[in-house]
């Protein structure tokens, strides 16, 4: 069968129908001393063959520790860029370069630079869901796992800019009780779309269910939630609680690990406003396939590069974050 994988930057010739991709990926990985890192939102078959599956924070911490010639990153571009910044001597492969992030896209460099220059006394805190250029303008980065600790690490009298997520930013502003925080008006197209009405309908059908939500969700969804946390924190909550039913307001890929970790419980994906679309799935995260991973490892393409001077600047706020948590 001929396969054309345009996003890899080359056209691949032959992948026999009979090729067992998981076995071939394992063989190439061994041969090339590569490591596969995957985010919880990745397709189930991708998570199944990864060496590390985690949230953004755990994956960055892992990248900082690893010393491998090749990191195959099953995730989105900002995550692969963060890995490259933290492990500059590794070749970082992203199986599909189109794996972007709507939240990172909602914070353009020129507009943000101008905003920052208008508030020179503010400490700039950016969520890792940003480009390396935005990180280079930042004092410190954060993830949804550590945003409270990161903001609390800045003395209370110092004003803060938080970017790019308006929902996470407003949530952290409430939790830290910080009045002097300006929040950039960006959002994730997946988390911004969960329907309060349809979550309430689900709750009526499953009155015992706990509602759990990622802090990138809109405030009305967060106010309904019994628990708000990063992907790793949501996962831990479902394991620690006695409850058996959970309505899960985050990207539906997290259900793979929830079911693997505790298959006897019932996880119900929260629905988006538009009942006709699978909007609770991140189309960028779902671009990874076993075939693209196989080709990526085989040809060592496409590689994520961060220009060294930019990487040096972007590394500072990431390392500052890693020293806080
Ligand atoms: P976590 O940091 O919770 O893994 O989330 C990453 C992300 O992209 C959320 O949309
Ligand atoms: Fe970005 Fe949203 Fe996808 Fe997370 S779910 S990677 S924030 S687009």
């Amino acid at each position: 069968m001929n396969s054309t994988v345009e996003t890899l930057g080359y056209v691949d010739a032959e992948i026999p129908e009979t090729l067992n991709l998981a076995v071939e990926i394992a063989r190439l990985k061994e041969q090339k001393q590569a490591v596969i890192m995957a985010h919880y939102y990745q397709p189930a078959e991708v998570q199944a063959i990864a060496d590390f599956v985690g949230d953004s924070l755990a994956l960055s911490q892992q990248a900082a520790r690893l010393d491998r010639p090749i990191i195959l990153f099953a995730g989105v571009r900002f995550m692969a860029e963060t890995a490259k910044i933290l492990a500059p001597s590794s070749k970082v492969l992203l199986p599909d370069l189109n794996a972007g992030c709507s939240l990172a896209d909602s914070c353009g460099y020129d507009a943000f630079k101008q905003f920052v220059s208008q508030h020179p006394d503010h400490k700039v805190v950016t969520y890792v869901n940003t480009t390396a250029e935005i990180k280079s303008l930042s004092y410190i980065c954060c993830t949804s796992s550590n945003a409270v600790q990161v903001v609390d690490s800045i003395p209370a009298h110092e004003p803060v800019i938080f970017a790019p997520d308006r929902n996470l930013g407003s949530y952290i502003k409430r939790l830290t009780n910080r009045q002097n925080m300006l929040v950039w008006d960006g959002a994730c197209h997946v988390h911004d779309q969960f329907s309060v009405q349809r979550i309430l309908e689900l709750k009526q059908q499953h009155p015992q269910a706990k509602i759990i939500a990622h802090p990138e969700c809109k405030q009305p969804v967060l106010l309904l939630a019994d628990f708000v946390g990063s992907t790793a924190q949501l996962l831990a909550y479902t394991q620690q609680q006695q409850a058996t039913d959970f309505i899960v307001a985050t990207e539906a890929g997290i259900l793979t690990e929830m079911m693997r970790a505790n298959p006897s419980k019932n996880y119900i994906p929260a629905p988006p406003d538009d009942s006709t679309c699978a909007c609770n799935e991140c189309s960028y995260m779902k671009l990874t396939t076993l075939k693209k991973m196989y080709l990526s490892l085989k040809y060592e393409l496409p590689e994520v590069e961060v220009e060294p001077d930019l990487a040096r600047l972007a590394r500072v706020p990431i390392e500052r974050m890693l020293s806080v948590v």
Side-chain angles (χ1 to χ4, degrees), residues 124-128 130 134-136 138-143 146-147 150-151 314-322 324:
V124 179
V125 180
T126 54
Y127 196 33
V128 286
T130 49
I134 295 294
K135 289 185 176 77
S136 75
S138 311
Y139 170 72
I140 190 165
C141 289
C142 72
T143 71
N146 62 22
V150 164
V151 169
R315 191 178 169 115
V316 175
I318 303 173
E319 285 192 329
R320 209 169 256 139
M321 165 185 85
L322 294 176
V324 169

Side-chain angles (χ1 to χ4, degrees), residues 41 76 78 101-103 129 188-191 216 282 284-285:
Y41 295 162
V76 293
F78 77 82
C101 168
S102 55
L103 179 52
N129 300 40
C188 154
H189 73 296
V190 178
H191 288 88
E216 287 173 26
C282 173
Y284 300 112
M285 284 281 181

